[in-house]
Amino acid sequence: MLALSKDRVFLLFCEWLEKKGLSYCVVGDSRGYPDNISGDVDIVLEERKIYLSTTYVVEFTNEYRLKLVQVLQHEQNAWYFVLGWEGESGLYDFLALDLCGDYYRNGKCLFSSEKLLRGRKYRKLRHSVEGGFYVPAHETELTYYLLKKVGKGSLNEQQLDHLYEEFNMGGSEVNRLLGQYWPQEQVKHIAEYIQRKDLQGLRKIFPSLVNYSFKCGTHSIILIFREWRRRVRRIVNPTGLLVIFLGPDGVGKSSVIDEMISMTKPAFRGSKKIHLRPRLFQKNMQGGSVDNVADPHGQQCRGNAASIAKVFYFLCDYILGYMYQVAPLLVRSKLVIFDRYYYDLLIDPARYRYGAPMWLARLAKYFIPKPDIVVVLDAPTDIVQLRKREVTWEETNRQRIAYKSFASAERNCVVIDASQPLLSVAGDSSKLVFELLAKRVNKRFG
């Protein structure tokens, strides 16, 4: 099989849609495609076909041996797919596809896929005799793109430049199509601001454009029901991931986490890094340095009563913090990473000044929310001590043995060699995330 790249996979997918007899067009600013695809690719399909989009994408990934690592329905007739494959460097590369049908806003159909696909044009690649993809007619792209920007209430210089180019190539049809959504006075202002590339002026009239355009569609009880059904499904099947990193001080957890967040960015709608516990009762969810002292074993352990109280405090923080802070992030397709977790209390009770019986701490573990993956970073004791010497050599060695013993007893726990270069360690951690995502997608969609 030929080596794959983002531009190659994009063109293969366009060819695949054509082979399947599906009418499509790539919407949005695609002037740099396929050589420069910086974000997700927006593709419109016929409304009556969009509900089979998952089937088409699954068939495509199977055909070219790609991994489908993310599927989320962000609108009632719009799906976001992330296709991944291992590159020659051993790291993953991605193509994110956003497939949709009619454009809905607040339960109203504002722009039909039929209107978008009518008059579409084939954009041939400049550097190739064969190959290309379909895009909408200029006036159609302009109106559709502007409607979406008005709906989101955001517009930047590059997006305005795209509107400017489409406006000048759309001809007389532009005013006619814009007039279907806004009064002629508003159309006049839109044309004036786009022609002058007046970003602030166009942004200024967005509120009035919203008031007019969103009155064009009609409400439907069926559409409202579908929207609520979609939201319930997102809650029942969250598309985010909860990952825990464990290991002795000096093993490189923070650096690996930061690098892994960057590597897995396309598969999620954002990320959140938390130290040790949710800290529901503190304003800063990132966590302060309360449990991360410079001399972790320098203070005397608490007595039984205080230690038991701390365990129950931790329980409340983890359980309620998961319900009110972590779970909503997972529903919104975020990657949530804990640098340390409750399990550290079982490995290194002296760090948390725990002086009560260990059986109580181990019992409490079963009530703590379970992560999707636990990653234990391990490196030779001499290397760990060289990086950070906060405890003795003997204590570091003891912790290493305890962490590996813990990992062997946990089903979703993996030990990774942290003595490798940073990119290799982060790459190994990222592969675990991608494999779990791919398995989850396969379980849901086959």
Side-chain angles (χ1 to χ4, degrees):
M1 183 179 173
L2 295 175
L4 293 175
S5 58
K6 189 175 292 188
D7 58 334
R8 176 65 177 158
V9 174
F10 165 69
L11 292 174
L12 286 173
F13 185 72
C14 291
E15 290 177 13
W16 176 269
L17 293 176
E18 292 177 41
K19 287 178 183 177
K20 292 290 181 180
L22 298 171
S23 295
Y24 78 92
C25 63
V26 178
V27 295
D29 189 359
S30 59
R31 288 173 292 180
Y33 287 11
D35 300 319
N36 183 23
I37 300 176
S38 57
D40 51 311
V41 178
D42 295 315
I43 299 178
V44 170
L45 300 178
E46 299 172 73
E47 177 68 15
R48 62 190 180 90
K49 298 281 189 177
I50 191 62
Y51 296 99
L52 293 173
S53 58
T54 302
T55 302
Y56 300 137
V57 175
V58 168
E59 289 177 357
F60 174 74
T61 54
N62 290 339
E63 175 73 17
Y64 292 98
R65 299 179 183 177
L66 306 172
K67 284 190 176 180
L68 184 54
V69 299
Q70 186 63 284
V71 178
L72 62 95
Q73 185 182 5
H74 60 90
E75 298 290 346
Q76 59 183 278
N77 65 335
W79 279 263
Y80 179 79
F81 303 91
V82 179
L83 285 57
W85 61 93
E86 195 170 332
E88 295 180 356
S89 64
L91 301 178
Y92 266 72
D93 201 358
F94 302 91
L95 176 67
L97 301 172
D98 199 331
L99 273 55
C100 66
D102 297 342
Y103 174 49
Y104 288 94
R105 194 75 182 182
N106 298 334
K108 294 181 178 182
C109 179
L110 296 183
F111 212 109
S112 70
S113 56
E114 179 185 359
K115 188 187 294 186
L116 267 165
L117 295 170
R118 190 187 308 135
R120 65 185 182 140
K121 299 176 181 179
Y122 191 72
R123 180 181 293 172
K124 210 167 186 180
L125 301 184
R126 297 175 183 175
H127 58 275
S128 175
V129 178
E130 296 182 356
F133 53 95
Y134 283 97
V135 294
H138 296 296
E139 66 278 4
T140 310
E141 166 64 22
L142 168 73
T143 308
Y144 177 75
Y145 195 75
L146 183 59
L147 273 170
K148 297 200 78 171
K149 292 298 138 188
V150 167
K152 292 179 179 178
S154 64
L155 188 72
N156 58 36
E157 293 283 357
Q158 183 179 344
Q159 293 163 348
L160 178 57
D161 188 60
H162 174 57
L163 289 173
Y164 174 83
E165 185 169 310
E166 296 299 313
F167 183 89
N168 287 312
M169 299 187 72
S172 59
E173 284 295 304
V174 169
N175 288 335
R176 182 191 63 80
L177 198 52
L178 290 175
Q180 295 180 10
Y181 295 91
W182 297 288
Q184 284 305 311
E185 186 65 25
Q186 292 281 22
V187 172
K188 182 180 176 181
H189 289 312
I190 291 170
E192 179 184 345
Y193 291 134
I194 291 178
Q195 285 284 48
R196 293 194 337 227
K197 289 192 175 181
D198 185 349
L199 181 61
Q200 296 305 320
L202 196 54
R203 282 176 176 170
K204 191 175 180 179
I205 65 171
F206 267 19
S208 61
L209 297 183
V210 170
N211 293 335
Y212 280 108
S213 62
F214 288 178
K215 293 177 182 178
C216 297
T218 56
H219 283 291
S220 166
I221 298 298
I222 296 177
L223 296 180
I224 295 173
F225 169 75
R226 286 177 179 172
E227 177 60 19
W228 279 105
R229 183 179 62 181
R230 180 191 70 84
R231 296 185 182 187
V232 170
R233 285 176 174 173
R234 288 290 298 274
I235 295 172
V236 174
N237 297 303
T239 47
L241 210 64
L242 176 57
V243 181
I244 308 301
F245 274 83
L246 304 177
D249 281 329
V251 81
K253 295 187 296 296
S254 296
S255 300
V256 172
I257 289 171
D258 291 340
E259 194 64 42
M260 193 195 82
I261 288 174
S262 177
M263 289 181 175
T264 58
K265 188 176 180 180
F268 300 96
R269 290 292 177 93
S271 60
K272 189 75 174 179
K273 184 169 71 171
I274 307 171
H275 176 71
L276 182 61
R277 55 192 176 87
R279 303 177 190 274
L280 179 66
F281 310 109
Q282 297 178 15
K283 291 183 179 180
N284 184 7
M285 190 179 170
Q286 294 284 356
S289 57
V290 178
D291 302 299
N292 189 20
V293 293
D295 184 10
H297 292 176
Q299 300 183 60
Q300 187 177 3
C301 288
R302 297 182 177 89
N304 273 349
S307 296
I308 292 172
K310 181 154 189 172
V311 167
F312 279 102
Y313 178 77
F314 270 31
L315 269 175
C316 292
D317 194 17
Y318 277 103
I319 294 173
L320 296 178
Y322 182 88
M323 291 171 58
Y324 292 103
Q325 292 180 336
V326 176
L329 294 175
L330 300 179
V331 170
R332 296 199 296 270
S333 308
K334 307 282 187 180
L335 172 63
V336 181
I337 301 181
F338 275 80
D339 179 356
R340 297 191 177 277
Y341 202 59
Y342 177 84
Y343 307 143
D344 275 290
L345 176 64
L346 308 178
I347 305 295
D348 187 11
R351 170 183 289 272
Y352 306 100
R353 301 172 61 196
Y354 181 76
M358 287 306 298
W359 66 263
L360 178 64
R362 286 191 288 268
L363 177 64
K365 168 197 161 190
Y366 295 99
F367 299 93
I368 299 293
K370 299 296 185 291
D372 296 297
I373 308 175
V374 179
V375 178
V376 172
L377 298 181
D378 180 60
T381 306
D382 290 336
I383 293 179
V384 177
Q385 283 279 300
L386 188 63
R387 292 174 177 172
K388 187 180 284 189
R389 193 172 297 175
E390 292 185 345
V391 294
T392 64
W393 189 97
E394 290 75 17
E395 175 60 19
T396 297
N397 197 57
R398 183 200 69 79
Q399 288 183 21
R400 285 187 57 216
I401 295 171
Y403 278 119
K404 288 191 285 187
S405 176
F406 173 83
S408 65
E410 295 293 317
R411 186 176 57 182
N412 61 341
C413 192
V414 179
V415 179
I416 292 179
D417 180 9
S419 64
Q420 306 174 85
L422 176 59
L423 286 180
S424 298
V425 182
D428 289 346
S429 304
S430 300
K431 285 180 184 178
L432 292 175
V433 169
F434 299 140
E435 288 171 2
L436 179 60
L437 289 174
K439 286 180 181 177
R440 186 166 70 182
V441 169
N442 187 61
K443 184 178 179 181
R444 287 184 60 193
F445 302 102

